Short mmCIF file of all heavy atoms in Angstrom, two decimals:
data_model
loop_
_atom_site.label_atom_id
_atom_site.label_comp_id
_atom_site.label_asym_id
_atom_site.label_seq_id
_atom_site.Cartn_x
_atom_site.Cartn_y
_atom_site.Cartn_z
N GLY A 42 -13.35 15.93 8.20
CA GLY A 42 -14.77 16.00 8.83
C GLY A 42 -14.81 14.83 9.93
O GLY A 42 -14.10 13.81 9.83
N VAL A 43 -15.55 15.18 10.96
CA VAL A 43 -15.88 14.20 11.97
C VAL A 43 -17.37 14.10 12.30
O VAL A 43 -18.10 15.02 11.86
CB VAL A 43 -15.15 14.51 13.31
CG1 VAL A 43 -13.68 14.46 13.17
CG2 VAL A 43 -15.59 15.87 13.85
N ASN A 44 -17.75 13.05 12.89
CA ASN A 44 -19.24 12.93 13.11
C ASN A 44 -19.68 14.06 14.11
O ASN A 44 -18.96 14.16 15.17
CB ASN A 44 -19.48 11.56 13.68
CG ASN A 44 -20.91 11.29 14.01
OD1 ASN A 44 -21.39 11.86 15.06
ND2 ASN A 44 -21.72 10.67 13.16
N GLN A 45 -20.61 14.80 13.64
CA GLN A 45 -21.12 15.89 14.48
C GLN A 45 -22.64 15.80 14.75
O GLN A 45 -23.26 16.87 15.03
CB GLN A 45 -20.79 17.33 13.77
CG GLN A 45 -19.35 17.51 13.56
CD GLN A 45 -19.06 18.85 12.77
OE1 GLN A 45 -20.02 19.45 12.43
NE2 GLN A 45 -17.78 19.06 12.61
N VAL A 46 -23.17 14.65 14.70
CA VAL A 46 -24.55 14.40 14.83
C VAL A 46 -25.20 15.01 16.10
O VAL A 46 -26.06 15.76 16.16
CB VAL A 46 -24.94 12.95 14.65
CG1 VAL A 46 -26.43 12.71 15.04
CG2 VAL A 46 -24.79 12.50 13.26
N THR A 47 -24.53 14.58 17.15
CA THR A 47 -25.01 15.08 18.50
C THR A 47 -24.63 16.38 18.93
O THR A 47 -25.30 17.08 19.73
CB THR A 47 -24.53 13.99 19.69
OG1 THR A 47 -23.11 14.03 19.74
CG2 THR A 47 -25.17 12.66 19.33
N THR A 48 -23.44 16.92 18.57
CA THR A 48 -23.00 18.32 18.89
C THR A 48 -23.76 19.36 17.98
O THR A 48 -23.90 20.47 18.50
CB THR A 48 -21.56 18.43 18.65
OG1 THR A 48 -21.25 18.11 17.34
CG2 THR A 48 -20.80 17.61 19.72
N THR A 49 -24.31 18.97 16.90
CA THR A 49 -25.05 20.00 16.04
C THR A 49 -26.45 19.72 15.99
O THR A 49 -27.20 20.52 15.26
CB THR A 49 -24.42 20.00 14.62
OG1 THR A 49 -24.58 18.74 13.98
CG2 THR A 49 -22.99 20.33 14.66
N ASN A 50 -26.92 18.62 16.52
CA ASN A 50 -28.32 18.20 16.41
C ASN A 50 -28.76 18.01 14.93
O ASN A 50 -29.83 18.49 14.47
CB ASN A 50 -29.25 19.12 17.17
CG ASN A 50 -29.07 19.11 18.65
OD1 ASN A 50 -28.81 18.00 19.18
ND2 ASN A 50 -29.09 20.25 19.27
N ASP A 51 -27.83 17.49 14.14
CA ASP A 51 -28.06 17.35 12.73
C ASP A 51 -27.80 15.85 12.31
O ASP A 51 -26.74 15.49 12.35
CB ASP A 51 -27.09 18.24 11.95
CG ASP A 51 -27.18 18.19 10.48
OD1 ASP A 51 -27.99 17.22 9.92
OD2 ASP A 51 -26.54 18.88 9.67
N PRO A 52 -28.85 15.18 12.09
CA PRO A 52 -28.60 13.72 11.80
C PRO A 52 -27.92 13.50 10.47
O PRO A 52 -27.40 12.34 10.23
CB PRO A 52 -30.21 13.08 11.61
CG PRO A 52 -30.82 14.34 11.39
CD PRO A 52 -30.28 15.56 12.02
N THR A 53 -27.67 14.50 9.66
CA THR A 53 -26.88 14.31 8.38
C THR A 53 -25.43 14.71 8.61
O THR A 53 -24.71 14.53 7.56
CB THR A 53 -27.51 15.18 7.34
OG1 THR A 53 -27.35 16.50 7.47
CG2 THR A 53 -29.01 14.93 7.08
N ALA A 54 -25.00 15.05 9.79
CA ALA A 54 -23.52 15.55 10.02
C ALA A 54 -22.78 14.37 10.27
O ALA A 54 -22.04 14.39 11.26
CB ALA A 54 -23.59 16.54 11.15
N HIS A 55 -22.74 13.46 9.38
CA HIS A 55 -21.84 12.32 9.49
C HIS A 55 -20.43 12.75 8.99
O HIS A 55 -20.42 13.78 8.17
CB HIS A 55 -22.35 11.18 8.62
CG HIS A 55 -23.52 10.54 9.15
ND1 HIS A 55 -23.82 9.18 8.73
CD2 HIS A 55 -24.38 10.82 10.03
CE1 HIS A 55 -24.89 8.74 9.39
NE2 HIS A 55 -25.21 9.82 10.16
N ALA A 56 -19.37 12.08 9.31
CA ALA A 56 -17.98 12.48 9.04
C ALA A 56 -17.84 12.73 7.47
O ALA A 56 -17.26 13.79 7.09
CB ALA A 56 -16.93 11.56 9.57
N GLU A 57 -18.33 11.89 6.69
CA GLU A 57 -18.08 11.98 5.16
C GLU A 57 -18.91 13.22 4.73
O GLU A 57 -18.36 13.88 3.79
CB GLU A 57 -18.69 10.73 4.45
CG GLU A 57 -17.98 9.47 4.91
CD GLU A 57 -18.57 8.62 6.18
OE1 GLU A 57 -19.23 9.26 6.97
OE2 GLU A 57 -18.46 7.45 6.21
N VAL A 58 -20.11 13.49 5.19
CA VAL A 58 -20.88 14.51 4.64
C VAL A 58 -20.21 15.87 5.09
O VAL A 58 -20.12 16.78 4.27
CB VAL A 58 -22.28 14.51 5.27
CG1 VAL A 58 -23.04 15.80 4.81
CG2 VAL A 58 -22.98 13.32 4.57
N VAL A 59 -19.71 15.90 6.29
CA VAL A 59 -19.10 17.16 6.87
C VAL A 59 -17.73 17.32 6.02
O VAL A 59 -17.46 18.52 5.55
CB VAL A 59 -18.71 17.10 8.33
CG1 VAL A 59 -17.81 18.12 8.77
CG2 VAL A 59 -20.00 16.96 9.18
N ALA A 60 -17.03 16.28 5.65
CA ALA A 60 -15.77 16.41 4.88
C ALA A 60 -16.09 16.78 3.40
O ALA A 60 -15.50 17.78 2.90
CB ALA A 60 -15.01 15.10 4.86
N ILE A 61 -17.11 16.35 2.85
CA ILE A 61 -17.55 16.74 1.57
C ILE A 61 -17.95 18.22 1.48
O ILE A 61 -17.46 18.99 0.60
CB ILE A 61 -18.66 15.83 1.07
CG1 ILE A 61 -18.20 14.41 0.72
CG2 ILE A 61 -19.34 16.42 -0.19
CD1 ILE A 61 -19.32 13.40 0.52
N ARG A 62 -18.75 18.64 2.45
CA ARG A 62 -19.20 19.98 2.52
C ARG A 62 -17.97 20.90 2.66
O ARG A 62 -17.81 21.97 1.93
CB ARG A 62 -20.12 20.21 3.74
CG ARG A 62 -21.47 19.64 3.49
CD ARG A 62 -22.36 19.76 4.80
NE ARG A 62 -23.52 19.16 4.67
CZ ARG A 62 -24.44 18.77 5.62
NH1 ARG A 62 -24.09 18.99 6.89
NH2 ARG A 62 -25.57 18.22 5.35
N ASN A 63 -17.07 20.56 3.53
CA ASN A 63 -15.79 21.38 3.74
C ASN A 63 -14.94 21.41 2.44
O ASN A 63 -14.39 22.54 2.08
CB ASN A 63 -14.99 20.80 4.87
CG ASN A 63 -15.72 21.06 6.26
OD1 ASN A 63 -16.68 21.97 6.36
ND2 ASN A 63 -15.30 20.25 7.29
N ALA A 64 -14.83 20.29 1.81
CA ALA A 64 -14.05 20.17 0.59
C ALA A 64 -14.70 21.04 -0.54
O ALA A 64 -14.15 21.81 -1.30
CB ALA A 64 -13.83 18.77 0.17
N CYS A 65 -15.88 20.96 -0.67
CA CYS A 65 -16.68 21.71 -1.70
C CYS A 65 -16.57 23.21 -1.39
O CYS A 65 -16.28 24.01 -2.38
CB CYS A 65 -18.13 21.30 -1.84
SG CYS A 65 -18.39 19.75 -2.62
N THR A 66 -16.46 23.66 -0.19
CA THR A 66 -16.30 25.03 0.13
C THR A 66 -14.80 25.47 -0.23
O THR A 66 -14.59 26.47 -0.93
CB THR A 66 -16.42 25.27 1.68
OG1 THR A 66 -17.77 25.05 1.92
CG2 THR A 66 -16.14 26.75 2.09
N VAL A 67 -13.82 24.62 0.08
CA VAL A 67 -12.45 24.85 -0.26
C VAL A 67 -12.31 24.99 -1.69
O VAL A 67 -11.63 25.95 -2.27
CB VAL A 67 -11.55 23.76 0.30
CG1 VAL A 67 -10.11 23.91 -0.29
CG2 VAL A 67 -11.56 23.93 1.83
N LEU A 68 -12.88 24.12 -2.45
CA LEU A 68 -12.64 24.10 -3.90
C LEU A 68 -13.63 25.08 -4.70
O LEU A 68 -13.56 25.22 -5.86
CB LEU A 68 -12.84 22.66 -4.45
CG LEU A 68 -11.75 21.64 -3.97
CD1 LEU A 68 -12.21 20.27 -4.44
CD2 LEU A 68 -10.42 22.04 -4.47
N ASN A 69 -14.63 25.47 -3.95
CA ASN A 69 -15.64 26.42 -4.53
C ASN A 69 -16.40 25.73 -5.73
O ASN A 69 -16.45 26.23 -6.78
CB ASN A 69 -15.06 27.77 -4.95
CG ASN A 69 -16.10 28.69 -5.28
OD1 ASN A 69 -17.17 28.74 -4.67
ND2 ASN A 69 -15.91 29.62 -6.28
N THR A 70 -16.85 24.50 -5.42
CA THR A 70 -17.41 23.65 -6.47
C THR A 70 -18.42 22.65 -5.78
O THR A 70 -18.44 22.53 -4.59
CB THR A 70 -16.40 22.94 -7.25
OG1 THR A 70 -17.29 22.11 -8.34
CG2 THR A 70 -15.72 21.87 -6.50
N PHE A 71 -19.34 22.05 -6.53
CA PHE A 71 -20.28 21.15 -5.92
C PHE A 71 -19.91 19.66 -6.31
O PHE A 71 -20.65 18.66 -5.97
CB PHE A 71 -21.68 21.40 -6.50
CG PHE A 71 -21.87 21.58 -7.86
CD1 PHE A 71 -22.01 20.59 -8.70
CD2 PHE A 71 -21.80 22.88 -8.50
CE1 PHE A 71 -22.20 20.61 -10.05
CE2 PHE A 71 -21.98 23.03 -9.85
CZ PHE A 71 -22.12 21.89 -10.67
N GLN A 72 -18.69 19.50 -7.04
CA GLN A 72 -18.26 18.18 -7.30
C GLN A 72 -16.79 17.90 -6.87
O GLN A 72 -16.10 18.86 -7.02
CB GLN A 72 -18.50 17.81 -8.77
CG GLN A 72 -19.89 17.70 -9.14
CD GLN A 72 -20.07 17.20 -10.65
OE1 GLN A 72 -21.17 17.30 -11.08
NE2 GLN A 72 -18.99 16.85 -11.34
N LEU A 73 -16.42 16.78 -6.43
CA LEU A 73 -15.13 16.64 -6.02
C LEU A 73 -14.24 15.80 -7.08
O LEU A 73 -13.68 14.72 -6.85
CB LEU A 73 -15.13 15.82 -4.64
CG LEU A 73 -15.68 16.61 -3.48
CD1 LEU A 73 -15.79 15.68 -2.24
CD2 LEU A 73 -15.09 18.02 -3.34
N ASP A 74 -14.30 16.29 -8.28
CA ASP A 74 -13.44 15.70 -9.34
C ASP A 74 -12.05 15.52 -8.93
O ASP A 74 -11.47 16.37 -8.40
CB ASP A 74 -13.63 16.54 -10.65
CG ASP A 74 -14.98 16.66 -11.25
OD1 ASP A 74 -15.82 15.90 -10.98
OD2 ASP A 74 -15.29 17.76 -11.81
N ASP A 75 -11.51 14.37 -9.37
CA ASP A 75 -10.14 14.00 -9.07
C ASP A 75 -9.68 14.08 -7.61
O ASP A 75 -8.57 14.15 -7.27
CB ASP A 75 -9.20 15.00 -9.76
CG ASP A 75 -9.52 15.08 -11.33
OD1 ASP A 75 -9.69 13.96 -11.90
OD2 ASP A 75 -9.53 16.15 -12.03
N CYS A 76 -10.77 13.92 -6.77
CA CYS A 76 -10.45 13.85 -5.34
C CYS A 76 -10.57 12.38 -4.81
O CYS A 76 -11.15 11.46 -5.53
CB CYS A 76 -11.42 14.72 -4.48
SG CYS A 76 -11.19 16.44 -4.83
N GLU A 77 -10.02 12.17 -3.62
CA GLU A 77 -10.15 10.81 -3.05
C GLU A 77 -10.75 11.12 -1.61
O GLU A 77 -10.40 12.04 -0.99
CB GLU A 77 -8.77 10.10 -2.89
CG GLU A 77 -8.01 10.00 -4.14
CD GLU A 77 -6.77 9.43 -3.95
OE1 GLU A 77 -6.10 9.41 -2.83
OE2 GLU A 77 -6.00 9.09 -5.03
N ILE A 78 -11.58 10.16 -1.18
CA ILE A 78 -12.11 10.31 0.17
C ILE A 78 -11.57 9.08 0.91
O ILE A 78 -11.71 8.01 0.46
CB ILE A 78 -13.66 10.27 0.15
CG1 ILE A 78 -14.16 11.49 -0.56
CG2 ILE A 78 -14.36 10.25 1.61
CD1 ILE A 78 -15.75 11.72 -0.75
N TYR A 79 -11.15 9.49 2.14
CA TYR A 79 -10.74 8.42 3.10
C TYR A 79 -11.64 8.48 4.31
O TYR A 79 -11.70 9.53 4.91
CB TYR A 79 -9.23 8.66 3.50
CG TYR A 79 -8.20 8.39 2.27
CD1 TYR A 79 -8.11 9.50 1.37
CD2 TYR A 79 -7.55 7.37 2.15
CE1 TYR A 79 -7.34 9.34 0.31
CE2 TYR A 79 -6.69 7.19 1.20
CZ TYR A 79 -6.54 8.18 0.25
OH TYR A 79 -5.78 8.08 -0.94
N THR A 80 -12.27 7.34 4.71
CA THR A 80 -13.17 7.34 5.83
C THR A 80 -12.83 6.30 6.76
O THR A 80 -12.51 5.15 6.34
CB THR A 80 -14.66 7.43 5.34
OG1 THR A 80 -15.46 7.54 6.45
CG2 THR A 80 -14.89 6.30 4.49
N SER A 81 -12.98 6.59 8.01
CA SER A 81 -12.49 5.59 8.96
C SER A 81 -13.43 4.31 9.08
O SER A 81 -13.22 3.35 9.65
CB SER A 81 -12.43 6.17 10.39
OG SER A 81 -13.80 6.65 10.88
N CYS A 82 -14.65 4.37 8.35
CA CYS A 82 -15.56 3.33 8.39
C CYS A 82 -16.26 3.24 7.09
O CYS A 82 -16.58 4.33 6.34
CB CYS A 82 -16.57 3.51 9.53
SG CYS A 82 -17.69 2.02 9.75
N GLU A 83 -16.66 2.08 6.66
CA GLU A 83 -17.46 1.86 5.38
C GLU A 83 -18.78 2.85 5.54
O GLU A 83 -19.45 2.76 6.44
CB GLU A 83 -17.81 0.49 5.34
CG GLU A 83 -18.64 0.17 4.14
CD GLU A 83 -18.79 -1.36 3.89
OE1 GLU A 83 -18.36 -2.15 4.78
OE2 GLU A 83 -19.48 -1.74 2.94
N PRO A 84 -18.89 3.60 4.54
CA PRO A 84 -19.98 4.59 4.59
C PRO A 84 -21.45 4.04 4.77
O PRO A 84 -21.67 2.93 4.13
CB PRO A 84 -19.95 5.38 3.27
CG PRO A 84 -18.59 5.16 2.83
CD PRO A 84 -18.15 3.81 3.20
N CYS A 85 -22.20 4.65 5.43
CA CYS A 85 -23.69 4.29 5.62
C CYS A 85 -24.42 4.56 4.35
O CYS A 85 -23.79 5.17 3.39
CB CYS A 85 -24.33 5.03 6.80
SG CYS A 85 -24.68 6.77 6.48
N PRO A 86 -25.60 4.17 4.13
CA PRO A 86 -26.38 4.51 2.96
C PRO A 86 -26.39 6.01 2.60
O PRO A 86 -26.20 6.29 1.36
CB PRO A 86 -27.73 3.97 3.20
CG PRO A 86 -27.51 2.91 4.31
CD PRO A 86 -26.41 3.37 5.07
N MET A 87 -26.59 6.83 3.59
CA MET A 87 -26.76 8.24 3.32
C MET A 87 -25.47 8.84 2.80
O MET A 87 -25.36 9.58 1.78
CB MET A 87 -27.13 9.04 4.62
CG MET A 87 -27.12 10.52 4.32
SD MET A 87 -27.46 11.50 5.85
CE MET A 87 -25.88 11.21 6.76
N CYS A 88 -24.32 8.42 3.55
CA CYS A 88 -22.94 8.92 3.08
C CYS A 88 -22.56 8.32 1.76
O CYS A 88 -22.02 9.02 1.00
CB CYS A 88 -21.94 8.52 4.20
SG CYS A 88 -22.39 9.54 5.67
N LEU A 89 -22.94 7.18 1.51
CA LEU A 89 -22.48 6.54 0.25
C LEU A 89 -23.22 7.28 -0.89
O LEU A 89 -22.57 7.58 -1.91
CB LEU A 89 -22.83 5.03 0.17
CG LEU A 89 -22.32 4.30 -1.10
CD1 LEU A 89 -20.79 4.40 -1.23
CD2 LEU A 89 -22.73 2.89 -0.99
N GLY A 90 -24.46 7.61 -0.68
CA GLY A 90 -25.15 8.39 -1.71
C GLY A 90 -24.56 9.80 -1.88
O GLY A 90 -24.42 10.18 -3.02
N ALA A 91 -24.13 10.44 -0.80
CA ALA A 91 -23.59 11.80 -0.77
C ALA A 91 -22.24 11.60 -1.52
O ALA A 91 -21.90 12.52 -2.37
CB ALA A 91 -23.37 12.31 0.53
N ILE A 92 -21.47 10.50 -1.30
CA ILE A 92 -20.10 10.40 -1.94
C ILE A 92 -20.39 10.18 -3.47
O ILE A 92 -19.68 10.90 -4.38
CB ILE A 92 -19.40 9.16 -1.41
CG1 ILE A 92 -18.95 9.59 0.08
CG2 ILE A 92 -18.34 8.72 -2.19
CD1 ILE A 92 -18.49 8.38 0.95
N TYR A 93 -21.37 9.41 -3.84
CA TYR A 93 -21.63 9.25 -5.30
C TYR A 93 -22.02 10.51 -5.94
O TYR A 93 -21.62 10.88 -7.05
CB TYR A 93 -22.73 8.20 -5.46
CG TYR A 93 -22.14 6.76 -5.69
CD1 TYR A 93 -22.04 5.86 -4.62
CD2 TYR A 93 -21.72 6.38 -7.03
CE1 TYR A 93 -21.51 4.70 -4.82
CE2 TYR A 93 -21.21 5.04 -7.18
CZ TYR A 93 -21.04 4.19 -6.10
OH TYR A 93 -20.54 3.03 -6.28
N TRP A 94 -22.80 11.36 -5.28
CA TRP A 94 -23.27 12.68 -5.74
C TRP A 94 -22.08 13.60 -5.85
O TRP A 94 -22.04 14.37 -6.82
CB TRP A 94 -24.37 13.35 -4.95
CG TRP A 94 -25.74 12.81 -5.23
CD1 TRP A 94 -26.53 12.09 -4.40
CD2 TRP A 94 -26.47 12.85 -6.44
NE1 TRP A 94 -27.70 11.83 -4.97
CE2 TRP A 94 -27.72 12.28 -6.28
CE3 TRP A 94 -26.17 13.39 -7.64
CZ2 TRP A 94 -28.68 12.18 -7.31
CZ3 TRP A 94 -27.10 13.44 -8.62
CH2 TRP A 94 -28.47 12.79 -8.45
#
Side-chain angles (χ1 to χ4, degrees):
V43 295
N44 181 282
Q45 299 175 357
V46 170
T47 58
T48 55
T49 62
N50 293 321
D51 179 353
T53 69
H55 289 200
E57 298 92 332
V58 172
V59 172
I61 288 168
R62 289 173 181 163
N63 291 340
C65 288
T66 298
V67 167
L68 296 174
N69 193 32
T70 185
F71 52 83
Q72 288 185 191
L73 299 179
D74 296 330
D75 302 318
C76 291
E77 299 171 354
I78 296 179
Y79 295 79
T80 180
S81 65
C82 187
E83 186 174 356
C85 74
M87 176 187 69
C88 291
L89 188 57
I92 290 166
Y93 270 95
W94 279 115

